[in-house]
């Protein structure tokens, strides 16, 4: 008789974190709860030795390096970007990988700490949003302008915005209007 | 970094059969599939103890999603008791400890071969469709590199042409299953060989749909509230199968997708294809307190 191996702590955490990320990207603008706060849990769930990663936080960088992932300094080379803040990063992120119409999956995943519920009001529409959705995010209008320039659907990058344990997903398919 | 720091403690089996790196790869691809609805994302498609072509793609997605609190329903052409469906369901629950169910309303994950359940799926449910051929352009362009370029260019003229030719030759569109559908106005996908009856259920649905082809190593997704429009000409409206007036000979329900069974001496009898809906109807008629959920089709008419 085969007995079920119970999931270990890492698997339980990754499974729950992924579920939060999956629903966050499926329903842009909806906030989901992750089992742990911070970017490290997302890195642990998604990143391994098949990935090339940029992280601005030295502690996170060493954690990511320990997974076997290649840690790069050049944002244009990486598939996952972890930023402790989005402020003043427009110029740096303008080189973010957006894939191509042939291979949209080459577009990067941007994971960043962003305050939910404060800052600028935006209106979201597109797949996963029933009509339109308005919310407030601590992201400057300049960033959204940069994103609109880069995301020529199906090219683009996907965002996971983390505030403590909450995560909000903005995939490239979402139209963001700054109000 | 040393080799030992990359090594995990020994375990007899991985939880959910797939190892952690297989799951991480699938998770990355599933997120990208959600971000670009209907676009086929390549993935590694690991070995599972089942032959390719028997639902390995759907199984890998389900094994990635599943946890001990999940409730899994697996259907094969609408039936929960088919050998393939029963084997997959038992395998998933054995390697993950997830509960099994036949009831669409009770399931958190529904893995399906070639049908979408008749009861409306909720916003917290996930539908995993097994896909034999993920490439809608294969019939018109066997070279996958050229087909990829055609997807990149949104060049679907040849698909429209096959539909037009069917109308010219036969007077109507003959495509019965896997009806090519435009997702989010950009990528044409095959909704897996579900009947035409089921395609409208994916349009602006509340649930999340993953479609995964294990043999072909590609997966794609339809997020909630995403447009899924069957390719039709404006003067030839999309038609589903004429099953609205058929009645199930066992349960007596009518207005749902039916299986046609030949009977002695010619003619046919019909049984409802979503077998658990039939079971529920029978139990209800026998006085059991069974809840039948709201269905996508009411009196044979689609009304989401």
């Amino acid at each position: 008789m085969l007995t079920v191996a119970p999931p270990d702590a890492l698997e339980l955490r990754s499974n729950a974190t992924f579920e939060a990320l999956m629903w966050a990207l499926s329903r842009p603008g909806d906030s989901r709860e992750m089992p742990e706060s911070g970017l490290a849990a997302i890195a642990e769930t998604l990143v391994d030795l098949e990935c090339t990663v940029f992280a601005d936080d030295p502690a996170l960088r060493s954690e990511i390096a320990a997974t076997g992932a290649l840690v790069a300094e050049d944002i244009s080379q990486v598939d996952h970007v972890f930023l402790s803040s989005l402020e003043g990063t427009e110029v740096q992120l303008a080189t973010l990988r957006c894939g191509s119409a042939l291979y949209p999956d080459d577009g990067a995943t941007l994971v960043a700490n962003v305050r939910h519920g404060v800052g600028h009001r935006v209106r979201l529409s597109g797949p996963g949003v029933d009509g339109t959705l308005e919310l407030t995010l601590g992201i400057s209008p300049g960033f959204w302008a940069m994103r609109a320039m880069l995301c020529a659907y199906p090219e683009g990058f996907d965002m996971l915005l983390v505030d403590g344990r909450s995560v909000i997903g903005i995939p490239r398919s979402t139209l963001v209007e700054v109000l | 970094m040393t080799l030992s720091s990359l090594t995990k403690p020994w375990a007899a089996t991985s939880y959910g059969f797939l190892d952690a790196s297989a799951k991480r790869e699938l998770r990355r691809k599933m997120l990208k599939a959600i971000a670009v609805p209907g676009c086929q994302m390549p993935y590694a498609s690991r070995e599972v103890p089942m032959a390719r072509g028997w639902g390995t793609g759907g199984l890998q997605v389900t094994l990635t999603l599943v946890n001990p609190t999940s409730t899994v329903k697996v259907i094969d052409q609408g039936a929960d008791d088919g050998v393939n469906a029963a084997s997959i369901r038992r395998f998933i629950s054995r390697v993950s400890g997830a509960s099994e169910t036949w009831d669409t309303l009770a399931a958190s994950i529904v893995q399906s071969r070639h049908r979408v359940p008749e009861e409306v799926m909720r916003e917290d449910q996930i539908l995993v469709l097994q896909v034999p051929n993920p490439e809608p352009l294969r019939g018109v362009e066997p070279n996958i590199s050229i087909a990829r370029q055609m997807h990149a260019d949104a060049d679907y003229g040849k698909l429209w042409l096959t539909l037009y030719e069917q109308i010219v030759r036969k007077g109507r569109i003959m495509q019965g299953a896997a009806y090519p559908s435009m997702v989010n106005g950009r990528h044409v996908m095959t909704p897996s060989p579900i009947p035409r009856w089921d395609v409208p259920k994916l349009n602006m649905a509340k649930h999340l749909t993953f479609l995964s082809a294990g043999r072909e190593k590609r997966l794609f997704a339809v997020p909630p509230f995403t447009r899924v429009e069957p390719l039709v000409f404006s003067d030839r409206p999309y038609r589903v199968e004429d099953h609205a007036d058929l009645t199930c000979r066992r349960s007596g329900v009518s207005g749902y997708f039916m299986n046609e069974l030949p009977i002695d001496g010619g003619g046919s009898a019909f049984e409802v294809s979503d077998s658990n809906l039939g079971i529920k109807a029978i139990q209800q008629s026998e006085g059991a307190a069974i809840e039948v959920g709201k269905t996508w089709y009411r009196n044979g008419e689609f009304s989401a």
Side-chain angles (χ1 to χ4, degrees), chain B residues 43-194:
Chain B
Y43 73 105
S45 189
R46 305 306 209 271
E47 290 282 332
V48 286
M50 198 167 74
R52 294 253 161 96
W54 290 85
T56 55
L59 182 62
Q60 288 175 74
V61 168
T62 308
L63 289 176
T64 304
L65 292 169
V66 80
N67 62 52
T69 61
S70 305
T71 307
V72 181
K73 171 185 167 84
V74 183
I75 50 176
D76 181 350
Q77 296 279 16
D80 297 88
D81 53 357
V83 172
N84 192 203
S87 305
I88 291 176
R89 188 172 52 245
R90 192 177 55 203
F91 176 74
I92 294 167
S93 85
R94 271 194 186 172
V95 298
S96 70
S99 322
E100 302 177 36
T101 186
W102 284 20
D103 185 355
T104 306
L105 303 178
S108 59
I109 304 169
V110 179
Q111 183 177 333
S112 166
R113 172 177 175 269
H114 306 0
R115 274 312 307 278
V116 179
E118 297 284 6
E119 285 159 291
V120 177
M121 292 180 68
R122 293 186 311 268
E123 60 275 2
D124 59 336
Q125 291 180 307
I126 303 168
L127 175 67
V128 182
L129 285 166
Q130 303 168 193
V131 185
N133 171 17
E135 181 54 83
L137 295 169
R138 184 150 302 161
V140 295
E141 181 48 71
N143 185 325
I144 56 170
S145 304
I146 296 175
R148 180 175 284 278
Q149 184 69 55
M150 289 164 74
H151 280 293
D153 297 340
D155 170 12
Y156 298 119
K158 284 185 177 176
L159 267 184
W160 288 101
L161 184 62
T162 55
L163 297 176
Y164 172 72
E165 283 178 341
Q166 287 173 13
I167 292 176
V168 170
R169 289 201 179 129
K170 309 282 185 188
R172 65 184 176 92
I173 292 175
M174 302 297 287
Q175 184 93 29
Y179 197 98
S181 305
M182 179 75 85
V183 183
N184 190 27
R186 176 59 180 81
H187 286 97
V188 168
M189 71 156 188
T190 167
S192 85
I194 57 176

Side-chain angles (χ1 to χ4, degrees), chain A residues 7-24:
Chain A
D8 55 19
L10 173 68
E11 165 63 25
L12 272 179
R13 212 159 51 224
S14 300
N15 186 288
T17 308
F18 172 69
E19 194 158 323
L21 303 183
M22 177 185 77
W23 285 117

Side-chain angles (χ1 to χ4, degrees), chain B residues 195-250:
Chain B
R196 290 197 302 262
W197 185 269
D198 285 348
V199 177
K201 297 175 185 173
L202 300 179
N203 181 42
M204 298 305 268
K206 291 198 185 75
H207 67 274
L208 166 64
T209 308
F210 283 110
L211 301 102
S212 178
R215 184 178 47 197
E216 306 282 335
K217 304 182 171 150
R218 297 186 210 177
L219 68 85
F220 45 111
V222 179
F225 302 114
T226 301
R227 283 178 292 134
V228 177
E229 297 147 324
L231 297 185
V232 279
F233 299 99
S234 51
D235 55 345
R236 297 278 175 143
Y238 182 73
R239 286 180 60 192
V240 300
E241 290 80 354
D242 294 328
H243 287 194
D245 302 325
L246 303 179
T247 303
C248 172
R249 71 168 175 185
R250 285 215 249 177

